[in-house]
Every structure is written in structure tokens, then in C-alpha cells.
Amino acid sequence: MSTPDYRHLLSSALAGLIPRGVEFSTGPIPESVDFDYEREADCLKTAGEYRKCEFIGGRECVRAALEALGFPRGPILPNADGVPVWPDGTIAAISHSRGYCAAIAAKSSDYSALGLDLEKTDRLSPAAIERTVHPGEQSFVQGEQKKASLIFCAKEAFYKAQFPLWQTHANFHDLELAVDIASGELTVRNMAERFPGELRALADQIRFRFSYVEDFVISVCWLKCRD
Ligand SMILES: CC(C)(COP(=O)(O)OP(=O)(O)OC[C@H]1O[C@@H](n2cnc3c(N)ncnc32)[C@H](O)[C@@H]1OP(=O)(O)O)[C@@H](O)C(=O)NCCC(=O)NCCS
């Protein structure tokens, strides 16, 4: 059986998930290390070969998404928490998984938070499913790895969206999501008090969309700036 054209499939899926004003790019993780910028290479001096390739692939995707928004290419360095420092006026998110990477980007005047996650759907062990799924999500998941992977993926996208603004280190059980398979959307049902009041007050404005792509699941999470 031939391998699916994941890049094409992931691109088509992402195009259908992102809201207006968000650009995206996907790509394979390169097979060899070839940094675009010395300053980025300096940040990964002690990293292993695969991590370097993953970083390079993610940076390539996010630079393409930023270029599509009209921003010039340039180095994107991580801060002390590992969060990329986006060019002024922009906000973005990167994910890599099993040979592929993707990024989304928008103007920070349009979106205050963006998250993206890409996961394989066949990797969570029963113990990991237990750690990921909130008791209130169990009636949806019913022990199924594919559904638990969606919950995991959406929570990782949410974590990446909130962290740059609120720096909250949260566990998976601190967030309870409701899934609407028919619309491909999730909503926040509950956020633990660990999250700051400002973020909890925005819970019903946090939007999620997801898609299954062969044996991947991809989730996008965003918070629009107030009009
Ligand atoms: C940081 C974390 C979200 C990364 O997710 P991952 O699935 O392991 O890896 P991905 O490839 O999808 O994403 C990695 C990218 O996310 C970005 N990133 C890393 N840390 C981040 C953070 N704290 N906030 C926002 N983005 C972050 C980076 O761009 C990174 O890629 P890069 O280092 O090449 O630039 C994850 O490792 C983590 O620590 N999660 C915390 C637990 C959690 O998610 N709980 C859910 C609570 S609701």
C-alpha cells in the first residue's frame, strides 16, 4: 500500500480549519541539518540531530506563513521558556509530529492567542489516556485511543495558545472540553482555578477546530482580539 501524501492532506485540512486572517504552511521535517540563520543554530547547539531538523522544519513553515501575511523572513529565536519570539505585530504557532510540521500565523491586531497541534492518533497508552481525559470527557472518549488523541491534541493547542499570555503550567485534567464531531469544533466546558480569572472569563470566546487526517489529528485554537 502506498504512503498517503500527508503534506497535501494536512494542508487541505488546515486550510479548512483556520479562521479568516490566519495563514498556514505545512512541510516535511527535513532529513539533514541546514540552518537558515546562525543565531537560530546557536540556540540548538546541544540538541540532537532530529530535534534540529524538527526545529528547522517548523521555522520554515512559520516563515512561509508569516510571509503570506506580508512579513519579511528573519530569524525567530526562542525565549527562556522555549516559546518563539514572533516578529512585532504577529502571533503564530508551530507543531511537529512524526516527520511532518505545520505552522499558523496572524496579525496580533486580529488575534490575541493562537495554538496549533498535530498528533498521531495511535500513540496514547491506556495510562496516558487516563491522564489526558477529564472525567467529564469520558462519555465522549469511552476509552477509544483516536478520540483521546483528539482531546490530547486540542489541549496541547490550547496550552500553546494560552502560555505566551498567561504562562499557566496546567495538567490535562485542569481543562474539560466538549466535542462536537459533526461540526469539527470543541468548546471549553470547564477550566480549573489554576488558570487565571482573566482567562477563565474568556472561556466561551476560545474557539477550537479539529480534523482527523488519516492517522493524524490536527487542532487549531484561537482567541480573537475584541472589536
Ligand atoms: C510545550 C508543549 C505544548 C509542546 O507540544 P508538543 O506536542 O510536545 O510539541 P509540538 O511539536 O506540537 O510543539 C512544539 C512547539 O511549540 C512551541 N512551544 C514550545 N513551548 C511552548 C509554550 N510553552 N507555549 C507556546 N508554545 C510553545 C514551539 O514553537 C515548539 O517548537 P520549536 O521549539 O521547534 O519552536 C508540550 O510539550 C507541553 O509541555 N505541554 C504541557 C502540558 C499540557 O499540554 N497540558 C495541557 C493543559 S490543558
Side-chain angles (χ1 to χ4, degrees):
M1 220 165 65
S2 64
T3 313
D5 180 354
Y6 280 115
R7 183 178 186 184
H8 176 74
L9 294 171
L10 291 169
S11 278
S12 305
L14 250 184
L17 296 181
I18 49 171
R20 189 192 298 263
V22 176
E23 296 289 346
F24 76 95
S25 178
T26 64
I29 291 177
E31 285 172 8
S32 60
V33 175
D34 183 11
F35 282 98
D36 282 344
Y37 298 96
E38 205 56 42
R39 290 168 64 203
E40 289 182 352
D42 287 347
C43 299
L44 273 94
K45 269 193 181 126
T46 57
E49 171 110 357
Y50 184 79
R51 171 65 188 126
K52 287 179 181 167
C53 290
E54 177 184 86
F55 177 98
I56 291 166
R59 287 305 191 270
E60 182 52 38
C61 285
V62 83
R63 279 192 267 275
L66 288 165
E67 259 190 319
L69 273 182
F71 288 81
R73 296 174 79 82
I76 298 171
L77 306 179
N79 71 12
D81 290 315
V83 184
V85 180
W86 310 120
D88 281 350
T90 69
I91 182 167
I94 294 173
S95 184
H96 350 75
S97 179
R98 307 284 141 187
Y100 293 88
C101 42
I104 55 176
K107 291 184 179 161
S108 51
S109 51
D110 293 336
Y111 290 88
S112 50
L114 276 187
L116 169 70
D117 198 59
L118 180 60
E119 298 289 340
K120 291 295 290 273
T121 54
D122 54 2
R123 302 195 52 82
L124 289 181
S125 65
I129 293 178
E130 189 78 31
R131 276 196 304 278
T132 301
V133 179
H134 185 283
E137 296 159 347
Q138 271 165 10
S139 60
F140 163 71
V141 174
Q142 297 191 336
E144 288 179 41
Q145 197 184 38
K146 191 170 170 180
K147 289 181 173 172
S149 302
L150 162 60
I151 297 286
F152 181 89
C153 180
K155 289 183 181 182
E156 291 274 80
F158 169 80
Y159 184 88
K160 290 182 204 171
Q162 66 78 29
F163 192 88
L165 285 171
W166 288 285
Q167 287 88 38
T168 305
H169 293 277
N171 299 314
F172 288 90
H173 281 209
D174 291 326
L175 183 67
E176 182 186 347
L177 297 173
V179 184
D180 184 342
I181 285 283
S183 67
E185 295 185 7
L186 301 99
T187 46
V188 175
R189 202 183 270 149
N190 242 306
M191 252 189 238
E193 286 184 9
R194 175 193 294 267
F195 291 106
E198 188 187 23
L199 172 56
R200 296 174 71 210
L202 293 168
D204 62 352
Q205 294 173 45
I206 299 167
R207 303 281 312 275
F208 289 89
R209 279 195 202 131
F210 71 90
S211 180
Y212 287 108
V213 179
E214 302 281 329
D215 51 349
F216 281 97
V217 59
I218 186 160
S219 301
V220 177
C221 171
W222 71 89
L223 186 57
K224 265 187 90 87
C225 295
R226 283 164 197 257
D227 293 327

